[in-house]
Amino acid sequence: LAKTTQPISMDSYEGQEVNITCSHNNIATNDYITWYQQFPSQGPRFIIQGYKTKVTNEVASLFIPADRKSSTLSLPRVSLSDTAVYYCLVGDIGSGAGSYQLTFGKGTKLSVIP
Amino acid sequence: EAQVTQNPRYLITVTGKKLTVTCSQNMNHEYMSWYRQDPGLGLRQIYYSMNVEVTDKGDVPEGYKVSRKEKRNFPLILESPSPNQTSLYFCASSPGLAGGRTETQYFGPGTRLLVL
C-alpha cells in the first residue's frame, strides 16, 4: 500500500496561495491521488483527484510530477473558511487491479489567519 | 438527495455491551467502508466492502465486525466494546468498479461513540 506523508500543520494569511505537498514514494502504477478536506466533526469532502501532470477545478489545482512520488495541492487565495484538515489519499479501487484498501495519512491542518 | 446516513450520531455505552452502528447509502455504490478517527491519528480504515457479501479488513479491524447483505447497507458491529474503541466513526461509499476509475468517496456525518 502506498503510504503518504504530509506536513502536520500550516499557517497562511487570507488571500495567499497555499501549497500542501504530499509524499507517496511507493505509489503504484494504477493508483490515483485524491485530496479531501475535512472540517471539525464532519466527514471528509472530496476536493480534487489526478493521475499525472496538472488538474484544476473550481476549488483547487493538483500538481503531480512525472515520477508521481509526490503531489502538491494548491489553494488559490485562501479565506478563513478554508481552515480545515487536508488529506492526501493514494489508492486504486476502480480498475480491478488494486488492493481496494485505502489509507489516509494524518492530514495537514491548515489555519488561515485574518 | 444523494447521501450516506449513519445512526446513531451519538452513542454512550458500557464495556461489553454489543452495539451496531448502521450505515446506508442511496447512490447504488458498490464500495463501502468504515473509518475511525482519533486525535493525532487521522482517519484509519476499519473494514471495507467491494460488493454484497464481499468484505475485507482495513488497517484496524480488531474488535469490529461488518456485514454486507444488501448493497445499500453496511453496518458496523462491536460485539464487546472496550474503552479504546471510543472514537469518531465515519462510513463512506464510492462507485468502485461500476463507476469507473475513481476513488471519490462520499462520507456520512459521523458517529461519536463513548465506551465507559
Side-chain angles (χ1 to χ4, degrees), chain A residues 30 32 36 38 87 100-101, chain B residues 31 37 59 101 103 105:
Chain A
N30 290 327
Y32 273 57
Y36 289 82
Q38 185 181 27
Y87 291 95
Y100 310 123
Q101 182 178 344
Chain B
Y31 186 94
Q37 186 169 38
D59 295 316
R101 286 296 297 114
E103 288 73 49
Q105 295 185 79

Side-chain angles (χ1 to χ4, degrees), chain B residues 14-114:
Chain B
V14 295
T15 298
K17 186 176 181 180
K18 181 180 179 180
L19 68 90
T20 299
V21 183
T22 64
C23 173
S24 182
Q25 50 93 5
N26 61 0
M27 296 169 279
N28 201 37
H29 285 170
E30 290 192 346
Y31 186 94
M32 296 187 75
S33 182
W34 275 103
Y35 296 88
R36 63 176 288 175
Q37 186 169 38
D38 304 287
L41 297 178
L43 282 157
R44 295 181 292 170
Q45 192 178 44
I46 303 171
Y47 270 94
Y48 61 93
S49 170
M50 284 305 302
N51 213 326
V52 176
E53 302 292 0
V54 181
T55 63
D56 210 341
K57 297 177 181 179
D59 295 316
V60 289
E62 294 77 21
Y64 304 95
K65 287 175 60 178
V66 293
S67 68
R68 189 89 182 273
K69 297 176 181 174
E70 306 167 280
K71 198 170 187 178
R72 62 182 292 130
N73 296 322
F74 190 44
L76 179 69
I77 303 159
L78 284 71
E79 294 273 1
S80 182
S82 63
N84 64 12
Q85 292 178 298
T86 292
S87 187
L88 178 59
Y89 292 87
F90 289 102
C91 180
S93 73
S94 171
L97 291 174
R101 286 296 297 114
T102 175
E103 288 73 49
T104 304
Q105 295 185 79
Y106 299 82
F107 283 79
T111 295
R112 193 170 291 278
L113 172 65
L114 172 62

